[in-house]
Amino acid sequence: MNSTLNKVMLIGHLGDEVKMHYFKADSCIGRFPLATNETYINKETGEKVTSTEWHNIVVRNKAAELCEKYLSKGDKIYIEGRIKSRQWQAEDGSTKYTTEIQAVDFTFLSTKKESEGNRHNGDSRTNGYDQQPAPENDLPF
């Protein structure tokens, strides 16, 4: 049996607002950058060093609308998805490449909009997408 797996799990902070793109037939995608940090001690200097990795997140349809409605720059989110690479021709004829994380499932861990009193009430999950923040003691790490 020749099986493969393409699965990504990230916990990070939004680097910008969710940017929406709408298409025909009521479909849409949302895109936002997600920052994850790694902190370590430099063995030579003894200094604490933080390294940030940026991920391009893509969410679709209902999930995109939920992210746009409830997330803001700086909010913390847990995302499960898969890596997808694309290429295209730019206007100048050059070939451009990008690597994205296509979100399959997510959990809002902290949102500014919630702390302002606009907490969403309803089902905790819709179409495989978690709408409610996880309790602090229920984090996946």
PDB file of all heavy atoms in Angstrom, residues 6-8 10 19 21 23 29-34 54-60 79-88 96-104:
ATOM      1  N   ASN A   6      -0.794  14.679   3.794  1.00  0.00           N
ATOM      2  CA  ASN A   6      -0.499  16.111   3.696  1.00  0.00           C
ATOM      3  C   ASN A   6      -1.360  16.790   4.747  1.00  0.00           C
ATOM      4  O   ASN A   6      -2.516  17.116   4.502  1.00  0.00           O
ATOM      5  CB  ASN A   6      -0.837  16.619   2.291  1.00  0.00           C
ATOM      6  CG  ASN A   6      -0.541  18.095   2.112  1.00  0.00           C
ATOM      7  OD1 ASN A   6      -0.211  18.802   3.060  1.00  0.00           O
ATOM      8  ND2 ASN A   6      -0.688  18.562   0.888  1.00  0.00           N
ATOM      9  N   LYS A   7      -0.815  16.974   5.948  1.00  0.00           N
ATOM     10  CA  LYS A   7      -1.569  17.564   7.053  1.00  0.00           C
ATOM     11  C   LYS A   7      -0.692  18.559   7.798  1.00  0.00           C
ATOM     12  O   LYS A   7       0.464  18.273   8.101  1.00  0.00           O
ATOM     13  CB  LYS A   7      -2.046  16.491   8.023  1.00  0.00           C
ATOM     14  CG  LYS A   7      -2.895  17.051   9.145  1.00  0.00           C
ATOM     15  CD  LYS A   7      -3.568  15.977   9.944  1.00  0.00           C
ATOM     16  CE  LYS A   7      -4.460  16.620  10.977  1.00  0.00           C
ATOM     17  NZ  LYS A   7      -5.406  15.692  11.530  1.00  0.00           N
ATOM     18  N   VAL A   8      -1.265  19.725   8.087  1.00  0.00           N
ATOM     19  CA  VAL A   8      -0.566  20.784   8.796  1.00  0.00           C
ATOM     20  C   VAL A   8      -1.415  21.197   9.991  1.00  0.00           C
ATOM     21  O   VAL A   8      -2.640  21.315   9.870  1.00  0.00           O
ATOM     22  CB  VAL A   8      -0.370  22.007   7.868  1.00  0.00           C
ATOM     23  CG1 VAL A   8       0.249  23.164   8.613  1.00  0.00           C
ATOM     24  CG2 VAL A   8       0.445  21.635   6.659  1.00  0.00           C
ATOM     25  N   LEU A  10      -1.328  24.303  12.899  1.00  0.00           N
ATOM     26  CA  LEU A  10      -0.664  25.544  13.279  1.00  0.00           C
ATOM     27  C   LEU A  10      -1.449  26.254  14.371  1.00  0.00           C
ATOM     28  O   LEU A  10      -2.678  26.224  14.368  1.00  0.00           O
ATOM     29  CB  LEU A  10      -0.570  26.498  12.079  1.00  0.00           C
ATOM     30  CG  LEU A  10       0.195  26.017  10.859  1.00  0.00           C
ATOM     31  CD1 LEU A  10      -0.047  26.958   9.685  1.00  0.00           C
ATOM     32  CD2 LEU A  10       1.675  25.934  11.185  1.00  0.00           C
ATOM     33  N   LYS A  19      -8.858  38.943   4.080  1.00  0.00           N
ATOM     34  CA  LYS A  19      -9.178  39.560   2.782  1.00  0.00           C
ATOM     35  C   LYS A  19     -10.085  38.605   2.022  1.00  0.00           C
ATOM     36  O   LYS A  19      -9.711  37.461   1.766  1.00  0.00           O
ATOM     37  CB  LYS A  19      -7.916  39.819   1.964  1.00  0.00           C
ATOM     38  CG  LYS A  19      -6.866  40.636   2.671  1.00  0.00           C
ATOM     39  CD  LYS A  19      -7.246  42.088   2.771  1.00  0.00           C
ATOM     40  CE  LYS A  19      -6.083  42.929   3.245  1.00  0.00           C
ATOM     41  NZ  LYS A  19      -6.237  43.538   4.509  1.00  0.00           N
ATOM     42  N   HIS A  21     -12.507  37.375  -1.253  1.00  0.00           N
ATOM     43  CA  HIS A  21     -12.661  37.410  -2.708  1.00  0.00           C
ATOM     44  C   HIS A  21     -13.933  36.632  -3.026  1.00  0.00           C
ATOM     45  O   HIS A  21     -14.054  35.472  -2.635  1.00  0.00           O
ATOM     46  CB  HIS A  21     -11.467  36.767  -3.403  1.00  0.00           C
ATOM     47  CG  HIS A  21     -10.159  37.387  -3.025  1.00  0.00           C
ATOM     48  ND1 HIS A  21      -9.691  38.548  -3.585  1.00  0.00           N
ATOM     49  CD2 HIS A  21      -9.226  37.011  -2.112  1.00  0.00           C
ATOM     50  CE1 HIS A  21      -8.531  38.855  -3.062  1.00  0.00           C
ATOM     51  NE2 HIS A  21      -8.233  37.944  -2.152  1.00  0.00           N
ATOM     52  N   PHE A  23     -16.882  35.114  -5.745  1.00  0.00           N
ATOM     53  CA  PHE A  23     -17.023  34.559  -7.084  1.00  0.00           C
ATOM     54  C   PHE A  23     -18.498  34.335  -7.379  1.00  0.00           C
ATOM     55  O   PHE A  23     -19.350  34.511  -6.498  1.00  0.00           O
ATOM     56  CB  PHE A  23     -16.270  33.225  -7.188  1.00  0.00           C
ATOM     57  CG  PHE A  23     -14.831  33.330  -6.777  1.00  0.00           C
ATOM     58  CD1 PHE A  23     -14.427  32.933  -5.515  1.00  0.00           C
ATOM     59  CD2 PHE A  23     -13.883  33.849  -7.641  1.00  0.00           C
ATOM     60  CE1 PHE A  23     -13.102  33.038  -5.121  1.00  0.00           C
ATOM     61  CE2 PHE A  23     -12.556  33.957  -7.264  1.00  0.00           C
ATOM     62  CZ  PHE A  23     -12.168  33.549  -6.001  1.00  0.00           C
ATOM     63  N   ILE A  29     -13.538  33.003  -1.101  1.00  0.00           N
ATOM     64  CA  ILE A  29     -12.381  32.553  -0.335  1.00  0.00           C
ATOM     65  C   ILE A  29     -11.893  33.726   0.508  1.00  0.00           C
ATOM     66  O   ILE A  29     -12.082  34.883   0.148  1.00  0.00           O
ATOM     67  CB  ILE A  29     -11.231  32.009  -1.206  1.00  0.00           C
ATOM     68  CG1 ILE A  29     -10.679  33.081  -2.137  1.00  0.00           C
ATOM     69  CG2 ILE A  29     -11.641  30.767  -1.959  1.00  0.00           C
ATOM     70  CD1 ILE A  29      -9.419  32.649  -2.862  1.00  0.00           C
ATOM     71  N   GLY A  30     -11.328  33.392   1.642  1.00  0.00           N
ATOM     72  CA  GLY A  30     -10.696  34.380   2.501  1.00  0.00           C
ATOM     73  C   GLY A  30      -9.232  34.019   2.643  1.00  0.00           C
ATOM     74  O   GLY A  30      -8.874  32.840   2.680  1.00  0.00           O
ATOM     75  N   ARG A  31      -8.399  35.036   2.704  1.00  0.00           N
ATOM     76  CA  ARG A  31      -6.956  34.835   2.849  1.00  0.00           C
ATOM     77  C   ARG A  31      -6.443  35.717   3.980  1.00  0.00           C
ATOM     78  O   ARG A  31      -6.895  36.847   4.129  1.00  0.00           O
ATOM     79  CB  ARG A  31      -6.218  35.215   1.573  1.00  0.00           C
ATOM     80  CG  ARG A  31      -6.591  34.404   0.369  1.00  0.00           C
ATOM     81  CD  ARG A  31      -5.830  34.913  -0.873  1.00  0.00           C
ATOM     82  NE  ARG A  31      -6.251  34.230  -2.066  1.00  0.00           N
ATOM     83  CZ  ARG A  31      -5.756  33.084  -2.497  1.00  0.00           C
ATOM     84  NH1 ARG A  31      -4.797  32.496  -1.816  1.00  0.00           N
ATOM     85  NH2 ARG A  31      -6.213  32.515  -3.590  1.00  0.00           N
ATOM     86  N   PHE A  32      -5.501  35.175   4.744  1.00  0.00           N
ATOM     87  CA  PHE A  32      -4.843  35.984   5.761  1.00  0.00           C
ATOM     88  C   PHE A  32      -3.490  35.372   6.105  1.00  0.00           C
ATOM     89  O   PHE A  32      -3.299  34.161   6.002  1.00  0.00           O
ATOM     90  CB  PHE A  32      -5.704  36.144   7.019  1.00  0.00           C
ATOM     91  CG  PHE A  32      -6.116  34.857   7.676  1.00  0.00           C
ATOM     92  CD1 PHE A  32      -5.329  34.262   8.659  1.00  0.00           C
ATOM     93  CD2 PHE A  32      -7.320  34.246   7.341  1.00  0.00           C
ATOM     94  CE1 PHE A  32      -5.724  33.083   9.282  1.00  0.00           C
ATOM     95  CE2 PHE A  32      -7.721  33.074   7.962  1.00  0.00           C
ATOM     96  CZ  PHE A  32      -6.914  32.494   8.934  1.00  0.00           C
ATOM     97  N   PRO A  33      -2.539  36.213   6.500  1.00  0.00           N
ATOM     98  CA  PRO A  33      -1.244  35.699   6.950  1.00  0.00           C
ATOM     99  C   PRO A  33      -1.332  35.282   8.414  1.00  0.00           C
ATOM    100  O   PRO A  33      -2.015  35.919   9.215  1.00  0.00           O
ATOM    101  CB  PRO A  33      -0.309  36.894   6.775  1.00  0.00           C
ATOM    102  CG  PRO A  33      -1.196  38.089   6.913  1.00  0.00           C
ATOM    103  CD  PRO A  33      -2.553  37.673   6.407  1.00  0.00           C
ATOM    104  N   LEU A  34      -0.647  34.206   8.748  1.00  0.00           N
ATOM    105  CA  LEU A  34      -0.601  33.702  10.123  1.00  0.00           C
ATOM    106  C   LEU A  34       0.860  33.615  10.551  1.00  0.00           C
ATOM    107  O   LEU A  34       1.684  33.045   9.836  1.00  0.00           O
ATOM    108  CB  LEU A  34      -1.251  32.320  10.205  1.00  0.00           C
ATOM    109  CG  LEU A  34      -1.404  31.757  11.612  1.00  0.00           C
ATOM    110  CD1 LEU A  34      -2.575  32.441  12.319  1.00  0.00           C
ATOM    111  CD2 LEU A  34      -1.619  30.260  11.573  1.00  0.00           C
ATOM    112  N   TRP A  54       5.965  32.955   8.639  1.00  0.00           N
ATOM    113  CA  TRP A  54       4.683  33.429   8.120  1.00  0.00           C
ATOM    114  C   TRP A  54       4.075  32.383   7.208  1.00  0.00           C
ATOM    115  O   TRP A  54       4.771  31.790   6.375  1.00  0.00           O
ATOM    116  CB  TRP A  54       4.858  34.741   7.364  1.00  0.00           C
ATOM    117  CG  TRP A  54       5.151  35.867   8.292  1.00  0.00           C
ATOM    118  CD1 TRP A  54       6.377  36.356   8.637  1.00  0.00           C
ATOM    119  CD2 TRP A  54       4.187  36.623   9.030  1.00  0.00           C
ATOM    120  NE1 TRP A  54       6.241  37.378   9.546  1.00  0.00           N
ATOM    121  CE2 TRP A  54       4.912  37.568   9.799  1.00  0.00           C
ATOM    122  CE3 TRP A  54       2.800  36.609   9.111  1.00  0.00           C
ATOM    123  CZ2 TRP A  54       4.278  38.480  10.637  1.00  0.00           C
ATOM    124  CZ3 TRP A  54       2.175  37.516   9.941  1.00  0.00           C
ATOM    125  CH2 TRP A  54       2.901  38.435  10.697  1.00  0.00           C
ATOM    126  N   HIS A  55       2.764  32.154   7.376  1.00  0.00           N
ATOM    127  CA  HIS A  55       2.023  31.170   6.588  1.00  0.00           C
ATOM    128  C   HIS A  55       0.861  31.877   5.902  1.00  0.00           C
ATOM    129  O   HIS A  55       0.173  32.693   6.529  1.00  0.00           O
ATOM    130  CB  HIS A  55       1.472  30.065   7.496  1.00  0.00           C
ATOM    131  CG  HIS A  55       2.501  29.510   8.432  1.00  0.00           C
ATOM    132  ND1 HIS A  55       3.370  28.508   8.078  1.00  0.00           N
ATOM    133  CD2 HIS A  55       2.812  29.855   9.704  1.00  0.00           C
ATOM    134  CE1 HIS A  55       4.163  28.239   9.099  1.00  0.00           C
ATOM    135  NE2 HIS A  55       3.848  29.044  10.106  1.00  0.00           N
ATOM    136  N   ASN A  56       0.626  31.555   4.632  1.00  0.00           N
ATOM    137  CA  ASN A  56      -0.510  32.096   3.883  1.00  0.00           C
ATOM    138  C   ASN A  56      -1.688  31.143   4.045  1.00  0.00           C
ATOM    139  O   ASN A  56      -1.637  30.014   3.555  1.00  0.00           O
ATOM    140  CB  ASN A  56      -0.151  32.239   2.399  1.00  0.00           C
ATOM    141  CG  ASN A  56       0.982  33.191   2.180  1.00  0.00           C
ATOM    142  OD1 ASN A  56       0.993  34.291   2.726  1.00  0.00           O
ATOM    143  ND2 ASN A  56       1.967  32.773   1.398  1.00  0.00           N
ATOM    144  N   ILE A  57      -2.739  31.591   4.738  1.00  0.00           N
ATOM    145  CA  ILE A  57      -3.893  30.747   5.035  1.00  0.00           C
ATOM    146  C   ILE A  57      -5.022  31.058   4.055  1.00  0.00           C
ATOM    147  O   ILE A  57      -5.297  32.222   3.764  1.00  0.00           O
ATOM    148  CB  ILE A  57      -4.393  30.983   6.478  1.00  0.00           C
ATOM    149  CG1 ILE A  57      -3.242  30.847   7.487  1.00  0.00           C
ATOM    150  CG2 ILE A  57      -5.562  30.045   6.802  1.00  0.00           C
ATOM    151  CD1 ILE A  57      -2.565  29.504   7.526  1.00  0.00           C
ATOM    152  N   VAL A  58      -5.681  29.987   3.565  1.00  0.00           N
ATOM    153  CA  VAL A  58      -6.825  30.123   2.672  1.00  0.00           C
ATOM    154  C   VAL A  58      -8.000  29.360   3.287  1.00  0.00           C
ATOM    155  O   VAL A  58      -7.867  28.193   3.667  1.00  0.00           O
ATOM    156  CB  VAL A  58      -6.513  29.548   1.268  1.00  0.00           C
ATOM    157  CG1 VAL A  58      -7.733  29.624   0.368  1.00  0.00           C
ATOM    158  CG2 VAL A  58      -5.336  30.267   0.642  1.00  0.00           C
ATOM    159  N   VAL A  59      -9.132  30.044   3.422  1.00  0.00           N
ATOM    160  CA  VAL A  59     -10.374  29.420   3.893  1.00  0.00           C
ATOM    161  C   VAL A  59     -11.450  29.654   2.840  1.00  0.00           C
ATOM    162  O   VAL A  59     -11.400  30.640   2.112  1.00  0.00           O
ATOM    163  CB  VAL A  59     -10.825  29.976   5.266  1.00  0.00           C
ATOM    164  CG1 VAL A  59      -9.926  29.470   6.363  1.00  0.00           C
ATOM    165  CG2 VAL A  59     -10.840  31.487   5.278  1.00  0.00           C
ATOM    166  N   ARG A  60     -12.414  28.767   2.755  1.00  0.00           N
ATOM    167  CA  ARG A  60     -13.409  28.840   1.691  1.00  0.00           C
ATOM    168  C   ARG A  60     -14.840  28.949   2.221  1.00  0.00           C
ATOM    169  O   ARG A  60     -15.164  28.413   3.268  1.00  0.00           O
ATOM    170  CB  ARG A  60     -13.320  27.597   0.800  1.00  0.00           C
ATOM    171  CG  ARG A  60     -11.972  27.459   0.129  1.00  0.00           C
ATOM    172  CD  ARG A  60     -11.949  26.312  -0.864  1.00  0.00           C
ATOM    173  NE  ARG A  60     -10.649  26.211  -1.490  1.00  0.00           N
ATOM    174  CZ  ARG A  60     -10.220  26.997  -2.473  1.00  0.00           C
ATOM    175  NH1 ARG A  60     -10.995  27.923  -2.965  1.00  0.00           N
ATOM    176  NH2 ARG A  60      -9.011  26.840  -2.967  1.00  0.00           N
ATOM    177  N   ILE A  79      -5.297  26.041  13.453  1.00  0.00           N
ATOM    178  CA  ILE A  79      -5.722  25.654  12.108  1.00  0.00           C
ATOM    179  C   ILE A  79      -5.196  24.266  11.780  1.00  0.00           C
ATOM    180  O   ILE A  79      -4.037  23.952  12.058  1.00  0.00           O
ATOM    181  CB  ILE A  79      -5.191  26.660  11.054  1.00  0.00           C
ATOM    182  CG1 ILE A  79      -5.881  27.990  11.235  1.00  0.00           C
ATOM    183  CG2 ILE A  79      -5.387  26.129   9.637  1.00  0.00           C
ATOM    184  CD1 ILE A  79      -5.418  29.064  10.292  1.00  0.00           C
ATOM    185  N   GLU A  80      -6.055  23.449  11.183  1.00  0.00           N
ATOM    186  CA  GLU A  80      -5.639  22.194  10.570  1.00  0.00           C
ATOM    187  C   GLU A  80      -5.923  22.330   9.085  1.00  0.00           C
ATOM    188  O   GLU A  80      -6.963  22.854   8.693  1.00  0.00           O
ATOM    189  CB  GLU A  80      -6.422  21.007  11.129  1.00  0.00           C
ATOM    190  CG  GLU A  80      -6.042  20.651  12.537  1.00  0.00           C
ATOM    191  CD  GLU A  80      -6.730  19.385  13.014  1.00  0.00           C
ATOM    192  OE1 GLU A  80      -7.109  18.533  12.166  1.00  0.00           O
ATOM    193  OE2 GLU A  80      -6.885  19.250  14.227  1.00  0.00           O
ATOM    194  N   GLY A  81      -5.002  21.853   8.287  1.00  0.00           N
ATOM    195  CA  GLY A  81      -5.203  21.944   6.850  1.00  0.00           C
ATOM    196  C   GLY A  81      -4.155  21.168   6.102  1.00  0.00           C
ATOM    197  O   GLY A  81      -3.517  20.275   6.646  1.00  0.00           O
ATOM    198  N   ARG A  82      -3.972  21.546   4.826  1.00  0.00           N
ATOM    199  CA  ARG A  82      -2.985  20.881   3.986  1.00  0.00           C
ATOM    200  C   ARG A  82      -2.195  21.931   3.208  1.00  0.00           C
ATOM    201  O   ARG A  82      -2.683  23.025   2.947  1.00  0.00           O
ATOM    202  CB  ARG A  82      -3.645  19.881   3.060  1.00  0.00           C
ATOM    203  CG  ARG A  82      -4.650  20.475   2.115  1.00  0.00           C
ATOM    204  CD  ARG A  82      -5.343  19.372   1.293  1.00  0.00           C
ATOM    205  NE  ARG A  82      -6.555  19.874   0.702  1.00  0.00           N
ATOM    206  CZ  ARG A  82      -7.754  19.872   1.280  1.00  0.00           C
ATOM    207  NH1 ARG A  82      -7.890  19.393   2.491  1.00  0.00           N
ATOM    208  NH2 ARG A  82      -8.792  20.353   0.668  1.00  0.00           N
ATOM    209  N   ILE A  83      -0.980  21.582   2.858  1.00  0.00           N
ATOM    210  CA  ILE A  83      -0.112  22.476   2.091  1.00  0.00           C
ATOM    211  C   ILE A  83      -0.482  22.371   0.620  1.00  0.00           C
ATOM    212  O   ILE A  83      -0.667  21.271   0.089  1.00  0.00           O
ATOM    213  CB  ILE A  83       1.367  22.098   2.277  1.00  0.00           C
ATOM    214  CG1 ILE A  83       1.772  22.251   3.739  1.00  0.00           C
ATOM    215  CG2 ILE A  83       2.262  22.940   1.368  1.00  0.00           C
ATOM    216  CD1 ILE A  83       3.145  21.725   4.046  1.00  0.00           C
ATOM    217  N   LYS A  84      -0.590  23.520  -0.016  1.00  0.00           N
ATOM    218  CA  LYS A  84      -0.888  23.573  -1.452  1.00  0.00           C
ATOM    219  C   LYS A  84       0.039  24.608  -2.081  1.00  0.00           C
ATOM    220  O   LYS A  84       0.107  25.751  -1.619  1.00  0.00           O
ATOM    221  CB  LYS A  84      -2.356  23.978  -1.656  1.00  0.00           C
ATOM    222  CG  LYS A  84      -2.772  24.146  -3.084  1.00  0.00           C
ATOM    223  CD  LYS A  84      -2.986  22.823  -3.753  1.00  0.00           C
ATOM    224  CE  LYS A  84      -3.547  23.058  -5.157  1.00  0.00           C
ATOM    225  NZ  LYS A  84      -3.760  21.846  -5.865  1.00  0.00           N
ATOM    226  N   SER A  85       0.778  24.212  -3.114  1.00  0.00           N
ATOM    227  CA  SER A  85       1.651  25.124  -3.850  1.00  0.00           C
ATOM    228  C   SER A  85       1.022  25.438  -5.198  1.00  0.00           C
ATOM    229  O   SER A  85       0.406  24.568  -5.815  1.00  0.00           O
ATOM    230  CB  SER A  85       3.026  24.493  -4.068  1.00  0.00           C
ATOM    231  OG  SER A  85       3.640  24.250  -2.835  1.00  0.00           O
ATOM    232  N   ARG A  86       1.155  26.700  -5.627  1.00  0.00           N
ATOM    233  CA  ARG A  86       0.613  27.117  -6.924  1.00  0.00           C
ATOM    234  C   ARG A  86       1.655  27.946  -7.660  1.00  0.00           C
ATOM    235  O   ARG A  86       2.540  28.517  -7.043  1.00  0.00           O
ATOM    236  CB  ARG A  86      -0.617  28.004  -6.791  1.00  0.00           C
ATOM    237  CG  ARG A  86      -1.679  27.645  -5.880  1.00  0.00           C
ATOM    238  CD  ARG A  86      -2.886  28.598  -5.959  1.00  0.00           C
ATOM    239  NE  ARG A  86      -2.717  29.812  -5.176  1.00  0.00           N
ATOM    240  CZ  ARG A  86      -2.682  31.040  -5.673  1.00  0.00           C
ATOM    241  NH1 ARG A  86      -2.769  31.260  -6.952  1.00  0.00           N
ATOM    242  NH2 ARG A  86      -2.555  32.085  -4.878  1.00  0.00           N
ATOM    243  N   GLN A  87       1.480  28.023  -8.966  1.00  0.00           N
ATOM    244  CA  GLN A  87       2.301  28.921  -9.764  1.00  0.00           C
ATOM    245  C   GLN A  87       1.421  29.602 -10.794  1.00  0.00           C
ATOM    246  O   GLN A  87       0.355  29.092 -11.144  1.00  0.00           O
ATOM    247  CB  GLN A  87       3.453  28.192 -10.442  1.00  0.00           C
ATOM    248  CG  GLN A  87       3.048  27.277 -11.577  1.00  0.00           C
ATOM    249  CD  GLN A  87       4.257  26.627 -12.214  1.00  0.00           C
ATOM    250  OE1 GLN A  87       5.176  26.200 -11.518  1.00  0.00           O
ATOM    251  NE2 GLN A  87       4.262  26.546 -13.524  1.00  0.00           N
ATOM    252  N   TRP A  88       1.832  30.795 -11.240  1.00  0.00           N
ATOM    253  CA  TRP A  88       1.076  31.545 -12.235  1.00  0.00           C
ATOM    254  C   TRP A  88       2.017  32.475 -12.983  1.00  0.00           C
ATOM    255  O   TRP A  88       3.148  32.707 -12.531  1.00  0.00           O
ATOM    256  CB  TRP A  88      -0.085  32.305 -11.586  1.00  0.00           C
ATOM    257  CG  TRP A  88       0.346  33.450 -10.723  1.00  0.00           C
ATOM    258  CD1 TRP A  88       0.434  34.762 -11.074  1.00  0.00           C
ATOM    259  CD2 TRP A  88       0.750  33.392  -9.352  1.00  0.00           C
ATOM    260  NE1 TRP A  88       0.862  35.519 -10.013  1.00  0.00           N
ATOM    261  CE2 TRP A  88       1.072  34.701  -8.937  1.00  0.00           C
ATOM    262  CE3 TRP A  88       0.885  32.364  -8.432  1.00  0.00           C
ATOM    263  CZ2 TRP A  88       1.514  34.994  -7.659  1.00  0.00           C
ATOM    264  CZ3 TRP A  88       1.333  32.669  -7.161  1.00  0.00           C
ATOM    265  CH2 TRP A  88       1.629  33.962  -6.777  1.00  0.00           C
ATOM    266  N   LYS A  96       5.500  33.119 -11.076  1.00  0.00           N
ATOM    267  CA  LYS A  96       5.423  33.357  -9.632  1.00  0.00           C
ATOM    268  C   LYS A  96       4.970  32.071  -8.950  1.00  0.00           C
ATOM    269  O   LYS A  96       4.204  31.286  -9.518  1.00  0.00           O
ATOM    270  CB  LYS A  96       4.430  34.479  -9.312  1.00  0.00           C
ATOM    271  CG  LYS A  96       4.754  35.802  -9.978  1.00  0.00           C
ATOM    272  CD  LYS A  96       5.957  36.427  -9.345  1.00  0.00           C
ATOM    273  CE  LYS A  96       6.204  37.804  -9.938  1.00  0.00           C
ATOM    274  NZ  LYS A  96       7.339  38.451  -9.336  1.00  0.00           N
ATOM    275  N   TYR A  97       5.428  31.892  -7.718  1.00  0.00           N
ATOM    276  CA  TYR A  97       5.088  30.713  -6.925  1.00  0.00           C
ATOM    277  C   TYR A  97       4.605  31.150  -5.549  1.00  0.00           C
ATOM    278  O   TYR A  97       5.053  32.163  -5.015  1.00  0.00           O
ATOM    279  CB  TYR A  97       6.317  29.813  -6.724  1.00  0.00           C
ATOM    280  CG  TYR A  97       6.921  29.317  -8.000  1.00  0.00           C
ATOM    281  CD1 TYR A  97       7.906  30.044  -8.655  1.00  0.00           C
ATOM    282  CD2 TYR A  97       6.508  28.113  -8.558  1.00  0.00           C
ATOM    283  CE1 TYR A  97       8.475  29.594  -9.838  1.00  0.00           C
ATOM    284  CE2 TYR A  97       7.069  27.645  -9.737  1.00  0.00           C
ATOM    285  CZ  TYR A  97       8.052  28.389 -10.371  1.00  0.00           C
ATOM    286  OH  TYR A  97       8.600  27.932 -11.533  1.00  0.00           O
ATOM    287  N   THR A  98       3.719  30.361  -4.977  1.00  0.00           N
ATOM    288  CA  THR A  98       3.312  30.591  -3.598  1.00  0.00           C
ATOM    289  C   THR A  98       2.959  29.249  -2.955  1.00  0.00           C
ATOM    290  O   THR A  98       2.573  28.300  -3.642  1.00  0.00           O
ATOM    291  CB  THR A  98       2.111  31.564  -3.497  1.00  0.00           C
ATOM    292  OG1 THR A  98       1.909  31.917  -2.133  1.00  0.00           O
ATOM    293  CG2 THR A  98       0.834  30.959  -4.035  1.00  0.00           C
ATOM    294  N   THR A  99       3.131  29.199  -1.664  1.00  0.00           N
ATOM    295  CA  THR A  99       2.728  28.028  -0.887  1.00  0.00           C
ATOM    296  C   THR A  99       1.699  28.501   0.127  1.00  0.00           C
ATOM    297  O   THR A  99       1.918  29.498   0.819  1.00  0.00           O
ATOM    298  CB  THR A  99       3.938  27.393  -0.177  1.00  0.00           C
ATOM    299  OG1 THR A  99       4.882  26.998  -1.174  1.00  0.00           O
ATOM    300  CG2 THR A  99       3.519  26.176   0.637  1.00  0.00           C
ATOM    301  N   GLU A 100       0.574  27.797   0.179  1.00  0.00           N
ATOM    302  CA  GLU A 100      -0.538  28.183   1.058  1.00  0.00           C
ATOM    303  C   GLU A 100      -0.927  27.013   1.941  1.00  0.00           C
ATOM    304  O   GLU A 100      -0.638  25.859   1.627  1.00  0.00           O
ATOM    305  CB  GLU A 100      -1.752  28.582   0.213  1.00  0.00           C
ATOM    306  CG  GLU A 100      -1.496  29.726  -0.722  1.00  0.00           C
ATOM    307  CD  GLU A 100      -2.606  29.936  -1.736  1.00  0.00           C
ATOM    308  OE1 GLU A 100      -3.256  28.965  -2.165  1.00  0.00           O
ATOM    309  OE2 GLU A 100      -2.803  31.104  -2.102  1.00  0.00           O
ATOM    310  N   ILE A 101      -1.601  27.349   3.019  1.00  0.00           N
ATOM    311  CA  ILE A 101      -2.226  26.346   3.874  1.00  0.00           C
ATOM    312  C   ILE A 101      -3.723  26.442   3.630  1.00  0.00           C
ATOM    313  O   ILE A 101      -4.334  27.478   3.912  1.00  0.00           O
ATOM    314  CB  ILE A 101      -1.932  26.588   5.374  1.00  0.00           C
ATOM    315  CG1 ILE A 101      -0.426  26.686   5.638  1.00  0.00           C
ATOM    316  CG2 ILE A 101      -2.610  25.516   6.224  1.00  0.00           C
ATOM    317  CD1 ILE A 101       0.383  25.475   5.247  1.00  0.00           C
ATOM    318  N   GLN A 102      -4.305  25.406   3.058  1.00  0.00           N
ATOM    319  CA  GLN A 102      -5.750  25.370   2.853  1.00  0.00           C
ATOM    320  C   GLN A 102      -6.382  24.804   4.117  1.00  0.00           C
ATOM    321  O   GLN A 102      -6.206  23.631   4.436  1.00  0.00           O
ATOM    322  CB  GLN A 102      -6.102  24.527   1.631  1.00  0.00           C
ATOM    323  CG  GLN A 102      -5.609  25.157   0.350  1.00  0.00           C
ATOM    324  CD  GLN A 102      -6.074  24.403  -0.880  1.00  0.00           C
ATOM    325  OE1 GLN A 102      -6.471  23.247  -0.812  1.00  0.00           O
ATOM    326  NE2 GLN A 102      -6.025  25.068  -2.016  1.00  0.00           N
ATOM    327  N   ALA A 103      -7.094  25.670   4.826  1.00  0.00           N
ATOM    328  CA  ALA A 103      -7.686  25.279   6.107  1.00  0.00           C
ATOM    329  C   ALA A 103      -8.817  24.280   5.898  1.00  0.00           C
ATOM    330  O   ALA A 103      -9.671  24.468   5.036  1.00  0.00           O
ATOM    331  CB  ALA A 103      -8.197  26.498   6.845  1.00  0.00           C
ATOM    332  N   VAL A 104      -8.796  23.223   6.685  1.00  0.00           N
ATOM    333  CA  VAL A 104      -9.845  22.213   6.680  1.00  0.00           C
ATOM    334  C   VAL A 104     -10.691  22.341   7.940  1.00  0.00           C
ATOM    335  O   VAL A 104     -11.893  22.136   7.920  1.00  0.00           O
ATOM    336  CB  VAL A 104      -9.232  20.795   6.581  1.00  0.00           C
ATOM    337  CG1 VAL A 104     -10.287  19.720   6.718  1.00  0.00           C
ATOM    338  CG2 VAL A 104      -8.465  20.653   5.271  1.00  0.00           C
TER     339      VAL A 104
END
